[in-house]
Amino acid sequence: MSRLPALWRGRAAGGAVLAGIGYAVTAWLDMEPRLLPYVVWSVVVLATAYLVIDTVDVPAAEWQQGPPAPSDRVDEATPDLRVLSSHQQADHPSDALAHRLVALARARDPGLGDAVQRELAGTHRLAPPDIDRILTRIEDVRDPS
């Protein structure tokens, strides 16, 4: 048989003493207390008091956020995606896609940027295989770091 911890034994004894004193006072003042409702009321009041006492010193709960959801940018309308879409949909495309490809190439290697700029000079519409080929060339260049 398990025994109650000392804290709970002390609380039960203290609660019984307080309830007994309260019952004696109400009987002495001729309030005509009924034993069963008084015992139920005492248990409810003491349990509530002990719950409040137990939660006073507990630190406030803090929510922890998990890691951010991975973003693969597939559905995100980036400026690059907008440039590519407008180039594909326009009747008379601008040279914005060519400028963006040259800037990407220059960021990897200035010599490659110059080569891509010469290759795209005078080109108005780029076919998807040509865009893929140029992007593959840019991606194949490794950073010197």
Side-chain angles (χ1 to χ4, degrees), residues 5-130:
L7 175 67
W8 287 102
R9 280 194 309 262
R11 285 183 175 185
V17 168
L18 282 175
I21 292 172
Y23 188 81
V25 169
T26 56
W28 180 67
L29 293 174
D30 289 329
M31 293 183 172
E32 300 175 4
R34 293 185 296 167
L35 184 59
L36 184 61
Y38 188 83
V39 169
V40 171
W41 175 82
S42 297
V43 168
V44 170
V45 168
L46 288 171
T48 304
Y50 289 144
L51 284 173
V52 169
I53 289 169
D54 286 345
T55 59
V56 168
D57 293 333
V58 175
E62 295 181 20
W63 291 100
Q64 295 180 355
Q65 293 184 345
S71 171
D72 57 358
R73 294 178 53 152
V74 171
D75 297 331
E76 185 178 325
T78 62
D80 295 336
L81 182 60
R82 280 187 234 122
V83 168
L84 182 61
S85 296
S86 66
H87 180 81
Q88 294 296 322
Q89 295 171 357
D91 291 334
H92 302 289
S94 69
D95 57 352
L97 179 61
H99 288 299
R100 185 63 191 135
L101 290 171
V102 168
L104 285 172
R106 277 212 175 100
R108 288 286 177 116
D109 180 22
L112 177 62
D114 294 338
V116 169
Q117 185 176 17
R118 283 190 300 274
E119 181 180 338
L120 296 177
T123 305
H124 293 288
R125 180 176 300 278
L126 292 169
D130 293 333

